[in-house]
């Protein structure tokens, strides 16, 4: 087993619910020790894929291999995973200790060994001394830690997390997300987490699998997903993105109304309609020289105060119809005294602009 | 466990079906699902099938097509019974549903004081055999009754008595439906209507009634079915007024004319089946009526309304309590109406009937066995159907059979049991007349409500529990015992008590089935009344009622203890 | 703790239901009977004392029900004996070949009328009962009805809807009264009388004693019923007279027999022997004034002194032979009219 054989390999996996195709031709490999997030809007098939991997809702077609073993049609109990759900799914009538020991007792281990393991796991998730309490006596975050300990108790090869943080409030969510990530690194357990929260995925995952309408849109490291979205969907779903209708002016240029911009590359022939995508935080307004490439004069429209930053609507003077969303830090707002109605210079760096084909085909919506 | 799983189909799409490869656990689960289906077939489907087939056979068992139905339609006495049944059922429904609506309105939409007392009073008839109300009426309105004059010379024995007694008996059933219907109301609708200055009458017509419409329809069918299939009341108080239920008894027990009994049974099945389907469609629409954002309506005190509904509800409640009080009082009277001194002699059942107190103890045994066996079987049946996603065809089949008894009146099921368990070819015939058959019949008779209770309780459990157990490689039977059953204990207890109380009070189903050593208290009441020992019959009824109420009170106490001390994990 | 105890108790009771049957060591003899409910206990005790290896299992219902049930089960009889059933029913069974031939020891000592007169010997009479009039004087006074000396007095308009009698198809007492009227008045006059009586009938009841009980309680004014019940109700303090109309009353005999093909024939024969003993007859006489064994006499208080004299000349054979025909005719005349009555 020294070969770089993946922990999980999925090939040609499809699943339908009646006429509805939930998953289509999924291909995916996950390496040992990797933390992978399935990210997508609700109904995109991410949970369905997770449940197929678990064997809880078997796929119609396709192969699932776990550590080189074909488990495509094995029932859940014959696979090797631990699972944590959004609802915690702690057995309310069992104590914390009994919940964690639930899978261990079944394996006929001696009582003392089970006790030792339970203590160890409780310490691991930061809940020592709580084993005699019942789930209702714990907070949501504590319950989810217990669920995590229970899933890890049998040392499974694969840890599946189905939106584990979604039911928690924001502060607990962020703390627990760091803890889970730390724990996963320490134990080296291969982990798949389903989430609809892009921030969570970006912060936790080694790799993100972005899904939409039952297909994988893109697989990549968080930065890759954020900076080089492969499709307009990914671009739009991960982070904030302004889309503008534009016309290609050659291999490295586009035009929006009267505004010409340089871009890294466009596959579209000159004159073809394209879509230009840019992130609000990449719109600069400091230290710009008029006349340089990708620097233009624009008018500041409506401003929305969002705490740490302000979101502004900017209309290029040369292309009054186009609305660009731009984020400015509180610092910038104060230093530059940006206000509605102002006209000033804005800049877009070539590397941050993405060009996508125009919405000719029926848009993915 | 499975280190070397065969990896034969590397190439090409895996032609796996919807299910996972069968593990031992899955095979056991699927086998249990099919076993459940088989048992339900034996206790529900087979007897009903026998009823259907008997109706197209001659007395000798030869196939005669619809000849029995033709005989029925051309026999004036039989047709008269059908018309009589329709008449009393319609009249009782017309009386009960509006009264129950007023009562439910008082409970749910007004600020009448003492709602707990009103509720308890209205539910009283549930704890007594149906014929106890009829026995009480003999003392009130009979030819020697102290309120005889209130009938203006009409005879109690016949439609008048049947309708009054059935109205009392069916009242709580209608009330339960209507209180539920009136409980579901969106307070915002009322606030919006009031904000627009709508009159109360118009609000009632445009908001209240449409909201309760489905409950009303449901109540109409339920009351109609209860009345038309009840046997005890017409038997005691019907006099010469023949109805379908007494006809079925006369045909089967009196004349041993099984085919004609089957025909009558099928006629009784019609309104019940109709009610079943109406109820189902009504239920599905009632759900859509209330949006998730609805805010429950809370009544605010209003003098005129509270006074009017309070008076109406207390009068109705008092009449119910008074009726059953009369029955209990009568059971202590020495010789009505000539010697009103009190005595315990009527409770010395042995001096009126050789079986003495034994029917009461038979009833206790039967009810306890039905409660224990019924609760266990129904719960695990519901678990197999609800929680195991195995054998989809078997599950659908079992689910269908589990819902079937709702549409089958006890009398009809009892007839089916006679035909099925009394058939000479049936090896299960050795149980005929034993308490075992009565237990099985009772469990089958009340299966659906128990099944729905269990299914609802199971549905409220996080569906991921099973997934977690599977991931931890805990087989479903261990999981059910360690987690699911303890969580559902209150529901299991509910089912047990429901079975117990109904087993104690049912007459219709078991009147055909009891044997010499398995005579039940409810049947003893029929016999005592038949022999003219009406005070003793009332005494037996009073004992049954007291037992049922005691069990219910014990249930409430245990439930409290269960939620409190024994299952501390339920408390935060 | 308590809960657990209760649960195990309940479970135990549940199991006991199924386990109980296996424990019996005595021979069970299933006896179909139409005896009154209150007779069954003492009868069982007496039989089991006389025949220690027997355990009596009663299946009790009214005469009509037991007769119909016995005939319906003729291919697969569940009864080992019949006892306390109308002799006319037993004659019917004898004719259908359903009864075992056996003459109990001591049968020869019985009054001749109580013995099976025709070979083969299958049934033995136990006692005789009469269909009499229970007349509630208190209620009659209110209604202005006069006490009936003759059957025809029952037709007086003051008694409209105030008379109850047993249903002849289900009650032996009911049939003996109908058969008695037809035999003593002649068929035509008998039916004419019943046509008139029907106008005054409030209900045809399921039992032979209930009509008198209802009359005794004042619920009805007149109950046509079993002789003995009238006497006992009067003794309990009911304001009733037990009247034997001057034309005489119909009567019927209760008898017992062994069912052909029973598996417990030996024990059944011992029980049949018991039925002719003095003990048995003394038991019969607690409920019936006229019993099979000469010399056993019990004249209960308030029993009409002219009863035995008032018995009509009754042909049990005629009653058996004409049972079907008479009941059909009765049903045709009165059941179709009975229903719409108020």
């Amino acid at each position: 087993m020294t070969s770089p054989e993946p922990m999980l390999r999925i090939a040609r996996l499809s699943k339908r619910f009646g006429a509805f195709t939930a998953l289509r031709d999924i291909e995916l490999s996950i390496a040992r020790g990797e933390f992978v997030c399935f990210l997508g809007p609700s109904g995109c098939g991410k949970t369905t894929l997770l449940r197929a991997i678990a064997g809880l809702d078997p796929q119609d077609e396709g192969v699932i291999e776990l550590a080189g073993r074909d488990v495509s049609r094995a029932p859940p109990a014959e696979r090797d995973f631990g699972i944590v759900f959004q609802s915690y799914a702690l057995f309310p009538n069992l104590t914390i200790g009994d919940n964690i020991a639930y899978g261990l007792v079944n394996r006929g281990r001696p009582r003392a060994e089970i006790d030792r393991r339970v203590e160890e796991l409780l310490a691991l998730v930061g809940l020592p001394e709580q084993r005699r309490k019942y789930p209702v006596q714990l907070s949501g975050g504590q319950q989810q830690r217990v669920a995590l300990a229970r899933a890890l108790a049998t040392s499974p090869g694969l840890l599946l997390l189905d939106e584990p943080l979604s039911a928690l409030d924001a502060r607990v969510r962020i703390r627990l997300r760091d803890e889970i990530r730390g724990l996963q690194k320490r134990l080296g357990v291969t982990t798949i987490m389903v989430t609809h929260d892009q921030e969570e995925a970006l912060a936790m995952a080694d790799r993100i699998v972005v899904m939409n309408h039952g297909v994988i849109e893109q697989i990549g490291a968080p930065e890759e997903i954020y900076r080089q979205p492969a499709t307009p969907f990914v671009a739009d779903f991960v982070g904030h993105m302004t889309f503008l209708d534009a016309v290609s002016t050659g291999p490295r240029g586009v035009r929006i109304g009267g505004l010409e911009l340089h871009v890294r590359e466009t596959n579209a022939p000159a004159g073809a309609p394209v879509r230009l995508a840019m992130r609000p935080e990449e719109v600069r307004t400091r230290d710009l020289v008029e006349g340089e490439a990708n620097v233009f004069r624009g008018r500041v429209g409506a401003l929305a105060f969002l705490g740490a930053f302000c979101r502004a609507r900017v209309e290029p003077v040369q292309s009054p119809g186009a609305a660009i969303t731009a984020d400015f830090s509180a610092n910038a707002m104060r230093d530059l005294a940006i206000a509605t109605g102002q006209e000033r210079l804005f800049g877009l760096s070539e590397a941050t602009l993405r060009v996508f084909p125009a919405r000719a085909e029926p848009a993915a919506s | 466990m499975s280190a070397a799983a065969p990896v034969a189909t590397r190439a090409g799409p895996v032609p796996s079906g919807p299910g996972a490869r069968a593990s031992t656990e899955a095979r056991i689960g699927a086998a249990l699902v099919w076993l459940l289906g088989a048992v339900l077939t034996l206790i529900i489907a087979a007897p009903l099938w026998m009823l259907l087939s008997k109706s197209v056979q001659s007395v000798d068992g030869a196939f005669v097509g619809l000849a029995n139905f033709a005989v029925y339609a051309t026999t004036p006495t039989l047709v008269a019974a059908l018309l009589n049944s329709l008449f009393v059922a319609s009249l009782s429904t017309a009386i009960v549903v509006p009264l129950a609506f007023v009562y439910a309105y008082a409970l749910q939409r007004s600020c009448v004081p003492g709602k707990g007392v009103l509720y308890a009073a209205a539910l009283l008839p549930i704890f007594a055999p149906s014929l106890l109300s009829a026995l009480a009426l003999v003392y009130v309105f009979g030819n020697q009754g102290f309120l005889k004059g209130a009938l203006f010379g009409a005879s109690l024995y016949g439609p008048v008595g049947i309708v009054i007694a059935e109205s009392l008996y069916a009242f709580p059933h209608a009330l339960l439906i209507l209180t539920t219907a009136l409980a579901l109301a969106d307070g915002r609708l009322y606030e919006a209507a009031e904000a627009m200055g709508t009159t109360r009458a118009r609000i009632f017509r445009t908001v209240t009634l449409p909201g309760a419409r489905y409950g009303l329809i449901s109540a109409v069918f339920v009351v109609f079915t209860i009345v038309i299939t009840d046997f005890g009341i017409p038997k005691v108080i019907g006099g010469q007024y023949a109805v379908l239920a007494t006809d079925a008894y006369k045909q089967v027990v009196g004349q041993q004319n099984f085919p004609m009994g089957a025909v009558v049974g099928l006629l009784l099945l019609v309104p019940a089946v109709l009610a079943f389907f109406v109820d189902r469609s009504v239920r599905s629409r009632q759900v859509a009526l209330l949006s998730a954002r609805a805010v429950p309506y809370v009544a605010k005190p209003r003098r005129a309304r509270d006074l009017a509904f309070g008076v109406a509800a207390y009068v109705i409640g008092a009449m119910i309590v008074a009726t059953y009080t009369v029955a209990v009082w009568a059971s202590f009277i020495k010789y009505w109406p000539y010697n009103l001194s009190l005595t315990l002699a009527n409770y010395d059942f042995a001096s009126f009937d050789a079986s003495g107190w034994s029917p009461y103890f038979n009833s206790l045994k039967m009810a306890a066995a039905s409660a224990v066996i019924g609760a266990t079987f129904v719960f695990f049946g519901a678990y197999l159907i609800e929680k195991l996603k195995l054998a989809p065809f078997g599950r659908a089949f079992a689910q269908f059979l589990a819902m079937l008894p709702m549409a089958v009146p006890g009398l009809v099921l009892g007839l089916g049991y006679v035909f099925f368990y009394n058939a000479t070819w049936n090896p299960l015939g050795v149980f005929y007349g034993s308490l075992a058959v009565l237990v099985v019949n009772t469990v089958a008779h009340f299966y659906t409500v128990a099944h729905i209770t269990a299914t609802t309780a199971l549905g409220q459990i996080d569906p991921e529990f099973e997934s977690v157990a599977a991931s931890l490689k805990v087989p479903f039977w261990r999981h059910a015992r360690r987690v699911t059953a303890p969580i559902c204990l209150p529901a299991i207890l509910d089912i047990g008590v429901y079975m117990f109380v109904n087993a104690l009070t049912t007459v219709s189903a078991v009147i055909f089935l009891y044997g010499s050593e398995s005579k039940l208290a409810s049947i003893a009441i029929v016999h005592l009344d038949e022999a003219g020992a009406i005070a003793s019959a009332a005494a037996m009824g009073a004992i049954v009622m007291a037992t049922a109420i005691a069990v219910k009170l014990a249930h409430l106490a245990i439930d409290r203890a269960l939620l409190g001390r024994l299952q501390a994990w339920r408390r935060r | 703790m308590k809960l657990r105890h209760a649960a195990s108790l309940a479970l135990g009771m549940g199991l006991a239901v199924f386990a109980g049957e296996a424990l019996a060591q005595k021979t069970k003899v299933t006896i179909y009977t139409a005896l009154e409910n209150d007779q069954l206990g003492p009868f069982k005790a007496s039989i089991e004392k006389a025949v220690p290896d027997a355990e009596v299992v009663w299946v009790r219902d009214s005469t009509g029900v037991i007769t119909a049930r016995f005939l319906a089960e003729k291919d697969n009889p569940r009864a080992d004996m019949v006892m306390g059933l109308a002799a006319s029913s037993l004659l019917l069974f004898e004719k259908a070949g359903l009864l075992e031939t056996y003459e109990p020891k001591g049968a020869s000592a019985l009054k001749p009328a109580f013995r099976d007169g025709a070979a083969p010997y299958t049934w033995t009479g136990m006692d005789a009962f009469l269909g009499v009039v229970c007349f509630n004087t208190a209620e009659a006074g209110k209604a202005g009805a006069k006490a009936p000396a003759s059957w025809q007095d029952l037709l007086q308009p003051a008694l409209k809807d105030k008379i109850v009698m047993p249903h002849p198809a289900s009650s032996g007492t009911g049939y003996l009264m109908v058969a008695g009227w037809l035999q003593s008045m002649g068929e035509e006059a008998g039916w004419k009388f019943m046509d008139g009586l029907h106008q005054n009938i409030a209900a045809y009841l399921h039992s032979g004693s209930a009509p008198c009980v209802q009359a005794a309680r004042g619920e009805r004014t007149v109950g046509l019923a079993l002789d003995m019940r009238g006497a006992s109700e009067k003794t309990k303090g009911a304001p009733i007279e037990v009247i034997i109309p001057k034309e005489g009353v119909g009567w019927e005999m209760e008898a017992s027999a062994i069912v052909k093909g029973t598996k417990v024939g030996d024990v059944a024969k011992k029980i049949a022997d018991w039925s002719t003993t003095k003990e048995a007859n003394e038991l019969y006489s607690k409920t019936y004034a006229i019993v099979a064994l000469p010399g056993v006499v019990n004249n209960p208080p308030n029993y009409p002194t002219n009863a035995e004299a008032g018995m009509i000349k009754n042909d049990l054979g005629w009653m058996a032979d004409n049972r079907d025909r008479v009941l059909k005719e009765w049903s045709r005349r009165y059941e179709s009219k009975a229903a719409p009555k108020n």
Side-chain angles (χ1 to χ4, degrees), chain C residues 4-231:
Chain C
R4 182 168 297 183
H5 182 69
S8 69
L9 189 72
L11 190 69
M13 284 168 89
L15 291 177
V17 173
F18 300 104
E21 327 244 317
L23 297 172
Q25 67 279 58
K26 296 214 230 170
T27 306
K28 282 191 178 178
V29 182
T30 301
I31 308 180
Y32 277 23
T33 182
L35 286 168
E36 291 299 307
N37 271 314
D38 47 2
Q39 293 177 283
L40 299 178
F43 272 53
K44 179 176 159 84
S46 177
I47 293 172
E48 287 172 2
K49 191 164 155 254
V51 188
D53 45 349
E55 185 189 341
V56 172
V57 179
W58 296 117
V59 173
R60 196 260 157 206
D61 217 312
S62 65
T63 304
V65 170
I66 287 291
T67 305
R69 184 159 169 185
F70 188 84
L71 288 172
E73 292 172 353
K74 63 179 187 288
D75 298 330
N76 187 20
R78 288 171 189 269
D80 300 306
M81 296 185 76
V82 279
M83 182 179 287
L85 193 64
S88 56
S89 287
L90 287 187
L91 283 168
L92 219 63
F93 300 163
E94 184 182 43
K95 212 182 277 176
L98 302 175
L99 300 181
E100 185 77 38
T101 304
Y102 179 70
E103 180 169 352
K105 292 178 195 137
S108 52
L110 303 178
K111 297 176 188 164
F114 288 82
R115 294 166 38 85
D116 186 354
Y121 191 99
T122 57
W123 59 268
T124 303
M126 297 156 64
D127 47 57
F129 55 99
L130 288 51
V132 301
V133 179
C134 292
F135 187 74
N136 189 314
T137 48
E139 296 306 313
K142 288 184 211 162
K146 69 174 177 92
S150 150
W151 288 117
Q152 302 301 329
D153 293 341
L154 291 178
L155 305 184
Q156 58 183 300
L159 288 176
K160 180 155 179 60
D161 287 342
K162 290 195 162 38
I163 303 178
V164 279
M165 73 169 278
H167 194 297
S170 49
S171 158
T173 312
Y175 179 58
L176 79 82
M177 300 192 89
V178 171
W181 292 324
L182 291 176
Q183 289 185 80
S184 63
M185 300 180 192
E187 292 249 347
E188 199 176 327
W191 287 118
K192 190 161 168 289
F193 164 73
M194 281 186 270
D195 286 347
L197 182 66
H198 182 66
Q199 299 307 315
N200 284 357
I201 292 281
Y204 296 99
L205 304 180
H206 207 51
S207 126
S209 53
C212 192
V213 177
Q214 291 202 357
R217 280 207 331 265
E219 197 61 29
R220 316 292 187 182
T221 309
V222 177
L224 309 185
L226 213 53
D227 50 350
M228 289 298 279
R229 179 61 77 163

Side-chain angles (χ1 to χ4, degrees), chain A residues 73 79 87 93 102 106, chain B residues 16 21 462 473 479 482:
Chain A
R73 283 181 289 163
R79 303 185 183 198
S87 61
N93 60 322
Y102 196 69
N106 194 49
Chain B
S16 74
R21 185 186 65 225
D462 191 336
K473 307 190 197 322
H479 179 68
R482 272 205 77 196

Side-chain angles (χ1 to χ4, degrees), chain A residues 54-200:
Chain A
L56 297 170
D57 289 327
Q59 71 282 11
D60 298 322
E61 278 167 33
V63 180
I64 298 174
E65 278 175 26
L66 202 54
R69 185 163 65 91
D70 184 348
V71 295
S72 304
R73 283 181 289 163
E78 288 176 19
R79 303 185 183 198
D80 179 27
F81 67 94
I83 193 163
V84 174
F85 294 101
Q86 178 181 350
S87 61
Y88 324 137
L90 292 181
F91 307 138
N93 60 322
L94 302 182
T95 60
I96 301 311
D98 286 342
N99 261 288
I100 295 174
Y102 196 69
L104 299 168
V105 170
N106 194 49
R107 283 165 204 210
R109 297 280 159 75
R111 191 71 231 179
E113 191 190 319
I114 292 173
D115 281 353
R116 215 177 319 118
R117 177 80 177 135
V118 169
E119 291 296 346
E120 187 185 310
L121 285 158
L122 279 170
L124 195 66
V125 298
L127 290 172
E129 315 293 322
Q130 308 273 22
R131 64 178 303 173
R132 301 207 182 283
K133 287 191 178 169
Y134 286 103
V136 283
Q137 295 167 300
L138 300 189
S139 70
Q142 289 173 318
Q143 289 192 49
Q144 198 57 297
R145 279 172 228 221
V146 174
L148 193 62
R150 180 177 65 184
L152 291 169
T154 54
S155 309
L158 188 61
L159 178 63
L160 303 178
L161 309 172
D162 186 2
E163 305 245 9
L165 305 173
S166 305
L168 303 171
D169 54 39
R171 207 172 277 275
V172 179
R173 197 185 310 170
I174 289 168
R175 205 172 63 224
L176 197 53
R177 137 178 137 192
D178 296 341
E179 281 181 27
I180 290 177
R181 181 59 170 146
L183 200 62
Q184 188 269 341
K185 273 198 173 133
R186 200 141 36 104
L187 299 175
V189 57
T190 315
T191 303
I192 300 173
M193 181 170 100
V194 162
T195 181
H196 64 268
D197 181 337
Q198 39 140 333
E199 195 184 310
E200 215 166 273

Side-chain angles (χ1 to χ4, degrees), chain B residues 294-441:
Chain B
V295 180
Y297 174 85
V298 179
K300 296 182 204 76
R302 219 168 65 215
R303 227 184 132 68
R305 177 201 61 195
D306 292 348
L307 193 69
F309 280 95
V311 168
Y314 273 98
V315 167
I316 296 170
M319 278 183 352
I320 293 170
V321 174
T323 307
Y324 288 91
T325 309
V326 165
V328 174
W329 171 62
S331 73
F332 292 107
I333 288 177
K334 207 170 234 164
Y335 204 97
W336 180 269
Y338 303 110
N339 183 350
L340 299 185
S341 58
L342 298 182
T343 173
L344 278 173
N346 295 319
Y347 285 80
D348 179 17
F349 299 117
S351 62
F352 301 94
D353 190 314
S355 48
W357 274 79
S358 75
Y360 174 69
F361 293 112
N362 282 342
S363 270
L364 281 188
K365 272 190 228 165
M366 201 279 271
S370 302
V372 173
I373 295 169
T376 314
F377 184 78
V378 170
F379 179 75
F380 283 104
Y383 181 85
L384 291 176
I385 293 174
E386 184 72 5
K387 289 289 180 188
L388 294 194
K389 307 295 181 203
L390 295 166
F393 186 68
R395 270 169 56 216
F397 179 63
Q399 174 71 13
F400 169 75
L401 289 183
M403 295 307 289
L404 198 54
M406 181 85 110
V408 182
L411 194 81
V412 179
L413 192 67
L415 279 173
Y417 267 60
V418 175
F419 301 152
F420 184 62
Y421 286 93
N422 198 23
T424 46
W425 50 263
N426 190 344
L428 294 171
V430 294
F431 291 112
Y432 184 67
S434 70
L435 271 184
V437 161
L438 295 177
V439 170
V440 170
N441 175 265

Side-chain angles (χ1 to χ4, degrees), chain B residues 455-470:
Chain B
T455 306
T456 308
L458 286 168
Q460 281 163 353
I461 298 179
D462 191 336
E464 308 300 9
F465 282 10
E466 267 63 32
S467 306
V468 170

Side-chain angles (χ1 to χ4, degrees), chain C residues 20 33 46 131 148 161 168 183 210 268 288 302 312 318 321:
Chain C
T33 182
S46 177
D161 287 342
Q183 289 185 80
Y288 296 105
N302 295 312
I312 62 162
W318 183 92
D321 292 343

